[in-house]
Every structure is written in C-alpha cells, then in structure tokens.
Amino acid sequence: MIRFLAETASSSTSQTTRQAVGYPTLFLLVVLGSLVPVIPTGALVSGAAVVAFHQTSPFALALVFGVAALAAFIGDVGLYWLGQRGIRSRNGSRWLRRLQSRADPDHLAKAQRQLDEHGVAVLVLSRLIPAGRIPVMVACLLGELPLRRFVRGDIAACLAWAAAYQLIGIVGGSLFPEPWQGVALAVGIAFLVALVPQVWRRAGRKAGPPGE
C-alpha cells in the first residue's frame, strides 16, 4: 500500500502515467480489501484523494470517488454472494466461516437487532463505523436477506464510505504543500479511525465487568 501511494505521489512520474497506473491499482486493491478484510481500504482512498487534490485535472477527485465507491460495491456484492452460497450449502463454505469468525458475537447480535428495526439502511452506518461492515453483512446472511435488497442498501453505503474517506484525504491535502505530507497525514488519520475503536473494545473486554 505504501509503495502504491509513494509511486502515485512521485513528482518524477508524469500525471498521465500516474492516472493510468493509479486508478486501476486503487480499484483492484479496494475490491481485494472488500473481499478479504485485511487491507486498509479507507487509508488507500484517503491517500489517493490527497494525490488527486494536488493534480491539475478537475476530474481527479471525482475519479477517485467513483473508482473507490464502485470497487467497494463490487467487493461487497461479491463477498455477499459467496456468503449466500455458504448459507445454501449443506456444509457451508470457507467464506461464510471466515465472515462469522470475524464477527464479534455482541456486535452480531446488535447488528441483527438493527437490521430488524431499520432494514437495509443499517448498511450505510455499518460502512462508516470501523469493523461494522462484517457483523452487519453476517446478520444479513443469517437473516437470508435477498441479494437484490442487499445491493440496494449497499449502493448508498459505498457512496457514503468513499465520500467520508475522500474528505479525510482532501483535508490532508489542503494542509500541506507537498503531496507526500498530505498522504502521510491522511493515511495516519484513516488508520486511527480504524484502530482506535478496536483497541477500545479489546481494553473493555480485558477489564471485564465491574466487580470481577
């Protein structure tokens, strides 16, 4: 990821070449990160937005937004489709087992309640909350939500997600004259947004309930 952002921000490469390499790379990494939730896709989008902010092309930011949202959507739908195959399969599937193993039981129960109360609108919030996407997706799978309904909710979710992380990148790009400085800040903020809630939850679990 760092290599991708560094190459994209390098001043020794022409803007046309950066666009030809950067957008397809961003697309592939976000799709992969949506299918295999270990790649920090939010940080990628923020870093790409910083670079786009410093380009002369008036459409650079719009392209980053469109590429990121489309890639996230394709990855989400692909992962949901694989999960549905596991639900229908007698022996399940490794994709479904992986999803369930990454969903905290408390968060999954909460996601199921929210899904019952608010329907697919909860997908938008799940994309904006760190580590919120997988529990809600598993809740949708266990609730046998049709793929068509999932797609309708996920469109808005991916658009909101891409806009939020692009905004982080724009803020980072506006604070520094050099793209690499803005990339460093935007990526750092994106990592903090993703990691702080997880650290907080782990600390809470270790502390245990009062009186223990």
Side-chain angles (χ1 to χ4, degrees):
M1 183 194 71
I2 296 176
R3 181 181 177 184
F4 158 64
L5 294 174
E7 288 177 352
T8 306
S10 174
S11 59
S12 61
T13 309
S14 70
Q15 182 170 309
T16 302
T17 303
R18 288 201 304 269
Q19 292 174 351
V21 174
Y23 294 129
T25 304
L26 176 65
F27 178 85
L28 291 174
L29 287 176
V30 172
V31 169
L32 180 61
S34 298
L35 288 170
V36 185
V38 293
I39 296 176
T41 52
L44 283 170
V45 175
S46 296
V50 172
V51 177
F53 180 83
H54 285 277
Q55 290 180 359
T56 57
S57 171
F59 304 110
L61 284 171
L63 282 171
V64 169
F65 173 77
V67 167
L70 178 61
F73 174 74
I74 290 174
D76 281 359
V77 173
L79 187 59
Y80 194 77
W81 178 78
L82 290 169
Q84 279 191 321
R85 290 188 62 187
I87 290 288
R88 292 191 294 265
S89 172
R90 178 177 299 177
N91 299 319
S93 73
R94 62 188 181 92
W95 288 98
L96 180 59
R97 288 192 293 270
R98 284 180 181 178
L99 285 175
Q100 290 177 309
S101 68
R102 294 183 64 88
D104 182 90
D106 293 336
H107 292 167
L108 177 57
K110 183 179 179 180
Q112 288 173 319
R113 291 194 301 270
Q114 291 176 334
L115 184 63
D116 291 338
E117 295 172 2
H118 306 292
V120 293
V122 74
L123 287 170
V124 177
L125 188 60
S126 75
R127 257 288 182 182
L128 296 176
I129 296 178
R133 181 173 71 104
I134 297 303
V136 170
M137 185 176 289
V138 173
C140 291
L141 288 168
L142 296 178
E144 298 185 355
L145 186 75
L147 180 61
R148 183 176 299 178
R149 286 192 63 198
F150 178 84
V151 165
R152 288 202 299 266
D154 198 56
I155 290 174
C158 291
L159 291 173
W161 172 82
Y165 279 97
Q166 180 162 351
L167 181 60
I168 293 175
I170 292 173
V171 171
S174 65
L175 293 177
F176 297 100
E178 295 294 331
W180 71 266
Q181 295 171 317
V183 167
L185 177 63
V187 170
I189 292 174
F191 270 113
L192 283 176
V193 168
L195 291 178
V196 168
Q198 297 181 37
V199 173
W200 181 269
R201 286 193 295 268
R202 289 178 182 176
R205 284 198 295 266
K206 289 181 178 179
E212 274 194 354

